Amino acid sequence: MQTETAPRAAAPPRAKKRWSVRSVEVLAVLLVAAIAARGLLAGAMGTPRLQSWSTVFISIVIQAMPFVALGTLLSAAIAVFVPPAFFTRALPKNKMLAVPAAGIAGGILPGCECASVPVAGALVRRGVTPGAALAFLLSAPAINPVVMVSTYVAFPGQPSMVFARFGASLGAAVLMGWLWLRVGRDDWLRQPKHHDHAGKGKVMAFVAAARHDMTQAGGYLAIGAFAAATLNVTVPPSWLRAVADNPVLAVLALAVLAVVLSICSEADAFVAASLTQFSLTARLVFLVVGPMVDLKLFAMQVGAFGRRFALRFAPTTFVIAVLVAVGTGALLW
Amino acid sequence: MVRQATRSVILLLVGGAILKTTVSGNYVRYVKEGMWPLLYLAGGAMVAIAVLGIAGLFRKTAHQGHDHEGHDHDGHEHEHGGRFDAAWLLMVPMLAVLLLAPPALGGFSANRTGSALGTAPANADYPPLPAGDPVRLSVLDYASRSVFDGGRTLSDRTVKLSGFVMTGPDNRMYLARMRITCCAADARPVKIGLSGALPDGLAPDSWIEVVGRYDPRTDVDEVSAEKVPYLTVATATPIPAPKKAYES
């Protein structure tokens, strides 16, 4: 063993190669250990609370995975097949105008927030001004056609909810984009430095980019699902009722609930509709905040743009989204 | 640090786990039944990317003389060098799906969550029940008809429902069925209070099929303050847990 690997380690490219074999070996040991401990594991997960936890945990991951997969395939395709100049040409030259243009463009991509993080990352890499890419990141999951239709279906008596959601979400996304243009600093944003794939075969470059983004986004999704599932089985839902009667508390509670539940934007309207104790404005806040700030999204933003960015971006988005939604609600209802 | 070969293997396992749970039909414990085309697409795409990536590695090894391609890949993978890499965490849900395959949500979640009848349209039209004696109804249909329609279409009929048994905080027995709108994370129960002849020793979370008649009583759910209808049970038969546990 020693005599075989030692000469390899001497040559620098081979040394890197050896590392890769090792991490596969770690993986193999991990798998064998997990299979061996299967009985123990199943026994430990036998209580109803832990079973519910694992069911919710898995369900969030499985529900989101198709959107992560399709979003990362799209982002890899953008990175590899679309010429870099395309986006800078397609969006208005004026940055102030590029932000609302990107925000409205976000309404075309039918996906949930899990898909929009990698796509927004690809846009930044392709030279789109971060303000516009962030407006896209926030608006895409909130105002796309699938979400609008599901909101209409979930609130049969109140079509105004559809307009309120569209207006408030687009407004908050554009405000965040403009805010980034004014105060945002490029060094807060860890630019996802993807390799320039120009030299490689396009297909292999696509495979490498998709593989990287899928595992990365998927890993952060798992963190968010972990947190959401834990809250799902520990926070008593009866607490909600106590706060529903106070208008200020109701808005804050649903805003926070949207963050911790991390429900995908295609489904959150049905959950909002079922929170019948709460006012329409509070439920609008839930629908505007949820697709823009939540636990899994925060974790995925850390993965895509870095912790320095996410720690500033997520709380600011939260405040803006709540304010815009409350304002919209006050105007309408 | 996770390298390309490991990423490929992780993707292969995750894609494989998604395909396995979809093929076996267990996926309906976690998401809506209609998700299967998307799950095949996602699992298939992941397996394809993984296989293409592994094939690429072999090709690279075969052309070890032309090192430039290998360098390209290494540069790509070094982006997160030395830092914690989230890709490993994708193993956790994957292993849970493959090794544990936890069951659909039952009484534990139903007890924590308020009855979900509020989502039903309040002005819906309830046509007469179809022919049959007893007539099979979903738990949701029975509850909606009795709460929103005052049991108008139920009163002179014998109905047959299936669901799991749960014991409420008041030690009363309920028949419940979880509803999901998207995935099990938003699952909410529809509960029906049981009165009449209940067999002894019904274990919580066991599935039963009940035949009975409309009972005009209603309770108020302690969690969601929604109305919980009642059913007078004539017979209750234990049944195996169905593959599709949720109503939607």
Side-chain angles (χ1 to χ4, degrees):
Chain A
M1 207 51 187
Q2 192 94 46
T3 46
E4 270 177 33
T5 46
R8 285 189 175 207
R14 300 281 180 89
K16 285 174 190 167
K17 194 95 186 56
R18 201 177 139 225
W19 229 110
S20 102
V21 171
R22 273 200 184 165
S23 93
V24 172
E25 282 164 357
V26 171
L27 186 65
V29 169
L30 209 79
L31 281 178
V32 171
I35 291 164
R38 183 180 182 171
L40 281 176
L41 219 61
M45 300 300 282
T47 72
R49 186 182 295 271
L50 282 174
Q51 271 189 357
S52 295
W53 180 88
S54 52
T55 303
V56 171
F57 173 61
I58 290 172
S59 79
I60 295 174
V61 173
I62 296 226
Q63 172 69 37
M65 230 44 214
F67 301 101
V68 169
L70 299 179
T72 49
L73 287 178
L74 187 61
S75 100
I78 289 173
V80 175
F81 297 111
V82 179
F86 173 81
F87 295 101
T88 35
R89 255 190 286 123
L91 285 172
K93 284 277 173 295
N94 183 328
K95 286 184 176 181
M96 292 296 279
L97 290 179
V99 169
I104 291 167
I108 300 161
L109 181 78
C112 71
E113 53 267 42
C114 314
S116 68
V117 174
V119 175
L123 290 181
V124 173
R125 274 202 299 278
R126 304 315 267 178
V128 170
T129 175
L134 294 177
F136 176 89
L137 167 78
L138 295 178
S139 79
I143 65 169
N144 74 60
V146 179
V147 170
M148 289 297 112
V149 169
S150 73
T151 308
Y152 180 79
V153 173
F155 288 88
Q158 285 120 356
S160 60
M161 185 56 103
V162 178
F163 303 110
R165 183 175 196 180
F166 184 89
S169 299
L170 183 58
V174 170
L175 275 180
M176 279 306 292
W178 281 336
L179 192 66
W180 180 269
L181 286 186
R182 279 199 74 84
V183 303
R185 296 217 319 255
D186 279 353
D187 61 320
W188 291 345
L189 198 69
R190 176 162 61 74
Q191 304 254 350
K193 280 194 246 40
H194 259 244
H195 204 69
D196 190 10
H197 298 292
K200 257 190 265 182
K202 290 250 181 203
V203 173
M204 284 320 289
F206 172 76
V207 167
R211 177 180 54 203
H212 177 269
D213 288 356
M214 269 181 199
T215 48
Q216 201 65 16
Y220 280 96
L221 168 72
I223 300 178
F226 196 98
T230 304
L231 288 157
N232 185 299
V233 300
T234 51
V235 175
S238 52
W239 290 2
L240 295 179
R241 269 188 67 207
V243 297
D245 299 329
N246 179 321
V248 177
L249 270 186
V251 163
L252 288 178
L254 284 204
V256 172
L257 187 72
V259 174
V260 299
L261 282 186
S262 308
I263 303 165
C264 59
S265 60
E266 273 138 21
D268 59 0
F270 297 98
V271 176
S274 71
L275 297 168
T276 45
Q277 311 97 310
F278 288 85
S279 66
L280 276 182
T281 301
R283 286 188 269 171
L284 176 64
V285 168
F286 180 85
L287 293 180
V288 174
V289 170
M292 299 191 177
V293 195
D294 68 30
L295 293 178
K296 69 169 162 15
L297 209 47
F298 178 76
M300 290 174 78
Q301 285 171 2
V302 171
F305 300 111
R307 200 176 300 127
R308 283 158 64 80
F309 167 81
L311 280 176
R312 291 176 170 86
F313 186 72
T316 315
T317 311
F318 181 82
V319 173
I320 297 265
V322 170
L323 291 180
V324 173
V326 168
T328 310
L331 277 177
L332 273 176
W333 300 305
Chain B
M1 186 161 86
V2 181
R3 303 190 43 92
Q4 48 193 344
T6 314
R7 279 187 197 281
S8 292
V9 176
I10 291 176
L11 261 192
L12 191 65
L13 289 168
V14 173
I18 291 176
L19 290 178
K20 190 195 168 202
T21 191
T22 313
V23 170
S24 71
N26 282 345
Y27 75 102
V28 296
R29 296 172 181 179
Y30 313 116
V31 295
K32 287 191 97 152
E33 200 186 356
M35 278 284 285
W36 65 266
L38 277 176
L39 291 175
Y40 276 125
L41 212 64
M46 295 179 129
V47 170
I49 293 289
V51 169
L52 281 173
I54 291 167
L57 287 181
F58 275 114
R59 213 187 49 178
K60 203 176 71 183
T61 325
H63 299 284
Q64 286 240 314
H66 309 285
D67 247 343
H68 65 274
E69 202 181 4
H71 278 297
D72 268 348
H73 279 281
D74 282 337
H76 182 75
E77 296 290 331
H78 263 271
E79 172 189 325
H80 297 283
R83 215 187 290 214
F84 162 74
D85 196 309
W88 284 104
L89 293 172
L90 205 42
M91 302 281 292
V92 180
M94 188 277 297
L95 288 176
V97 168
L98 287 181
L99 301 181
L100 297 176
L105 294 178
F108 174 81
S109 295
N111 250 322
R112 293 175 43 83
T113 326
S115 220
L117 268 183
T119 54
N123 54 353
D125 182 37
Y126 293 98
L129 294 185
D133 187 57
V135 59
R136 171 165 286 285
L137 289 182
S138 70
V139 167
L140 173 66
D141 196 9
Y142 179 85
S144 309
R145 283 171 189 269
S146 69
V147 169
F148 297 123
D149 201 33
R152 189 176 51 87
T153 55
L154 298 169
S155 47
D156 54 350
R157 299 294 298 275
T158 305
V159 296
K160 187 195 256 183
L161 312 174
S162 60
F164 60 85
V165 177
M166 63 171 279
T167 319
D170 48 3
N171 268 332
R172 213 189 292 275
M173 294 292 242
Y174 294 92
L175 182 75
R177 203 71 194 245
M178 300 299 280
R179 295 180 66 199
I180 62 174
T181 48
C182 168
C183 64
D186 61 45
R188 304 192 63 192
V190 176
K191 307 176 190 173
I192 295 176
L194 297 177
S195 59
L198 279 179
D200 289 333
L202 278 182
D205 277 342
S206 63
W207 283 74
I208 55 170
E209 187 169 77
V210 295
V211 174
R213 294 178 77 86
Y214 174 64
D215 179 338
R217 270 194 299 166
T218 54
D219 257 357
V220 172
D221 191 294
E222 283 189 11
V223 181
S224 65
E226 286 197 32
K227 281 185 179 169
V228 175
Y230 266 81
L231 176 81
T232 307
V233 176
T235 62
T237 325
I239 54 169
K243 194 115 195 171
K244 279 163 40 183
Y246 303 125
E247 285 180 351
S248 55

